[in-house]
Amino acid sequence: MDFFSITGGRRLSGKIRAESAKNAILPMMACAVLTKEKVIIRNCPYIKDVLSMKEILEYMGAKVFFSGDGVIIDASDLKRFEVPSFLSKKLRSSIYMLGSVLAVNDKLKISFPGGCDIGARAFDIHLDGLKKLGVDVIEEEGCILCRREKIKGSEITLKYPSVGATENLIICSTLCEGSTVIKNCAKEPEITDLIRFLKKMGAKIYGEGTGVIRIEGVKKLNGVEYTPIGDRIEAGTYILASLISGGEIEISNVLPQNICSLLNYFCNNTCKIRISNDIIYIKKEESFSGLYVSTGPYPDFPTDLQPVITAFCTVADGKSVIRENVFENRFLYAYELKKMGANIKIDNNVAYVSGEKKLYGANLYAKDLRGGAALIVASLTAEGESKIFGTEYIDRGYYNLTEKLSLLGADVKRNYEN
Ligand code: EPZ
């Protein structure tokens, strides 16, 4: 088994650039099937989830290749309208094939999607919305079978502002007959970016960034060349990695307004912060005291940074309370942090953390993407060496992790076990 080996204690300081946002790129890749022309997504990180979406598109008959810093997709001649389990299970984002394929084809068979084991990961909101758009949906033996005459615009109110369901229903409505209004939408920056991408393809979409999105169906969508926004979760991870080590970091290609819920914790005497349009500079000045964190749909604190900020709190002075309101099972990593000497008590969806002076290196096992990131961040400040197994989870969302951490001064190696 591969593992990262990190010897803690180094101050992380320096400049790095965030990749384009994984959670914007993945739905954009699915949208390539909406047009017969080429779709080019620039500054695309070579992460596992991108490779998994590439495999799904190629299985269906699309041509997908990397050129320079981008991925180029030609889905003009699809041969299959199904996504088998060995592909759909690799990631949650296989679910976007529902919205994109049903916009252009009358049927799709897709096995249940995968995704990090952080909760039920239901998809009822997706399916309820598709039914409103005129899709007949049958779930049987782990598959979702969809058939439709045409996609008819409708008014849909989501029972919860699901990011994926918001995106899927927008995508599916781009070529609908009439228009669709979706209420109680999620407002994540990646959704706004996806809408910008679709509008560049010729879609007529209004209300981005608000809880109500209107889509007027058009007859055809064109190819597009697009550079997605920077990855705010990657950026937040490196900011916390630098702060936990007592360092300073300048991270570019990230819009500060997209992670102000994180930056707000440090807009005080503990840090010096400078921001410009897509650059954040932050430096630790004083010791950190405990935090109160409560995750929620944007603009609340992002659930994807919950594991990482909890790791950060394990060495802050005093007590912290971290409440996870989005996923039911997103504290698995906490049991690994306890191996390092962290003082964490989990009670249902709340983590109670008492900061310790020091953590100690240990053998740690990542069980999901962001939980893995939390173990990496904790290891940077721990005394001695940590080995972090489960690299296959971390590789899903962090490109060039070893190179970026080394550039910042960390003592990190990747060990490939044969
Ligand atoms: C997206 O997942 C992100 N993934 C997740 O990032 C992120 O944590 C999540 O949004 C919340 O911000 C991608 O964009 C690829 P949801 P998604 O639908 O769309 C429940 C990462 O680490 N729900 O907003 O799956 C669901 O169970 C990943 O990059 C239903 O009940 O999130 C969850 O409890 C992890 N029925 C809550 O809503 C549904 O039909 C939020 O899910 C859909 C969701």
Side-chain angles (χ1 to χ4, degrees):
M1 283 204 295
D2 293 3
F3 59 92
F4 292 106
S5 154
I6 293 178
T7 301
R10 301 271 190 89
R11 276 180 84 252
L12 267 62
S13 297
K15 294 182 179 180
I16 59 168
R17 178 179 171 76
E19 307 296 332
S20 285
K22 165 179 88 79
N23 292 348
I25 291 168
L26 297 173
M28 288 174 187
M29 289 181 75
C31 290
V33 308
L34 296 174
T35 176
K36 298 283 186 204
E37 298 167 17
K38 280 196 180 55
V39 166
I40 302 171
I41 301 170
R42 289 266 167 254
N43 190 27
C44 181
Y46 206 70
I47 51 176
K48 241 175 114 201
D49 276 7
V50 166
L51 300 178
S52 299
M53 280 305 276
K54 174 176 183 288
E55 283 181 74
I56 290 172
L57 291 163
E58 287 173 333
Y59 179 87
M60 298 177 75
K63 296 185 191 65
V64 186
F65 45 99
F66 289 95
S67 160
D69 72 343
V71 62
I72 303 171
I73 307 169
D74 171 358
S76 58
D77 186 18
L78 295 180
K79 302 269 190 292
R80 292 188 180 115
F81 295 97
E82 57 173 277
V83 183
S85 174
F86 77 94
L87 291 175
S88 68
K89 283 267 170 293
K90 288 188 173 186
L91 75 171
R92 175 74 177 185
S93 294
S94 55
I95 203 167
Y96 296 125
M97 300 317 294
L98 277 170
S100 60
V101 171
L102 290 168
V104 295
N105 194 62
D106 62 354
K107 61 181 178 309
L108 173 72
K109 176 182 178 184
I110 178 170
S111 295
F112 287 176
C116 285
D117 182 10
I118 50 179
R121 308 306 299 269
F123 41 77
D124 54 326
I125 303 172
H126 294 251
L127 302 189
D128 292 347
L130 289 171
K131 289 172 190 167
K132 288 262 177 68
L133 293 173
V135 180
D136 293 328
V137 180
I138 300 170
E139 288 177 66
E140 69 179 19
E141 293 163 16
C143 280
I144 306 168
L145 307 170
C146 297
R147 186 176 283 280
R148 54 78 169 168
E149 290 303 311
K150 57 183 138 188
I151 297 295
K152 288 190 290 270
S154 176
E155 180 163 314
I156 303 166
T157 300
L158 304 185
K159 70 175 183 180
Y160 174 87
S162 153
V163 171
T166 300
E167 292 172 322
N168 239 343
L169 298 172
I170 289 171
I171 294 167
C172 198
S173 299
T174 49
L175 294 163
C176 75
E177 186 182 80
S179 59
T180 290
V181 175
I182 309 170
K183 296 180 176 175
N184 195 29
C185 292
K187 296 177 265 191
E188 271 65 7
E190 294 76 21
I191 300 174
T192 300
D193 203 35
L194 173 67
I195 291 171
R196 228 178 266 126
F197 166 87
L198 288 166
K199 290 169 90 162
K200 201 172 175 189
M201 293 177 75
K204 288 188 176 167
I205 307 173
Y206 311 94
E208 54 267 39
T210 75
V212 181
I213 303 286
R214 185 163 60 84
I215 308 103
E216 279 174 23
V218 295
K219 289 270 174 280
K220 176 179 174 292
L221 291 174
N222 312 310
V224 65
E225 179 166 349
Y226 192 82
T227 302
I229 52 170
D231 194 318
R232 62 193 171 111
I233 305 300
E234 182 198 20
T237 303
Y238 283 105
I239 286 170
L240 289 165
S242 176
L243 294 180
I244 200 172
S245 72
E248 58 184 303
I249 186 169
E250 180 180 288
I251 189 156
S252 57
N253 191 36
V254 59
L255 298 174
Q257 63 268 30
N258 288 350
I259 44 170
C260 51
S261 59
L262 170 70
L263 298 176
N264 286 343
Y265 286 113
F266 305 114
C267 293
N268 49 38
N269 61 335
T270 60
C271 288
K272 180 195 288 181
I273 298 183
R274 280 198 308 271
I275 59 176
S276 68
N277 61 339
D278 73 341
I279 296 175
I280 297 171
Y281 166 82
I282 186 166
K283 177 178 187 288
K284 176 184 177 183
E285 299 273 72
E286 307 278 337
S287 57
F288 298 111
S289 29
L291 304 175
Y292 176 76
V293 180
S294 182
T295 70
Y298 190 84
D300 287 351
F301 190 87
T303 174
D304 291 347
L305 282 177
Q306 175 265 95
V308 185
I309 204 163
T310 302
F312 172 85
C313 289
T314 62
V315 290
D317 295 345
K319 297 190 182 310
S320 301
V321 176
I322 296 96
R323 186 177 295 278
E324 172 55 55
N325 301 306
V326 178
F327 289 103
E328 311 92 307
N329 183 29
R330 199 162 203 175
F331 286 116
L332 286 182
Y333 65 89
Y335 301 97
E336 296 299 306
L337 292 178
K338 286 154 83 88
K339 288 184 189 171
M340 305 173 82
N343 184 336
I344 304 180
K345 284 181 188 56
I346 305 295
D347 178 6
N348 287 322
N349 69 326
V350 183
Y352 297 94
V353 183
S354 294
E356 294 293 336
K357 285 273 164 282
K358 191 175 278 196
L359 297 181
Y360 298 89
N363 285 356
L364 306 165
Y365 294 82
K367 298 184 180 69
D368 61 76
L369 167 57
R370 308 301 177 182
L375 304 182
I376 296 273
V377 167
S379 302
L380 292 167
T381 186
E383 185 179 288
E385 184 192 19
S386 297
K387 289 183 179 176
I388 298 105
F389 295 87
T391 56
E392 65 276 16
Y393 294 106
I394 300 166
D395 289 343
R396 293 187 51 185
Y398 292 95
Y399 184 52
N400 274 346
L401 178 86
T402 316
E403 293 74 2
K404 289 186 177 183
L405 286 176
S406 304
L407 201 60
L408 292 170
D411 178 352
V412 54
K413 283 186 290 307
R414 176 149 186 170
N415 299 271
Y416 296 91
E417 297 265 312
N418 43 28

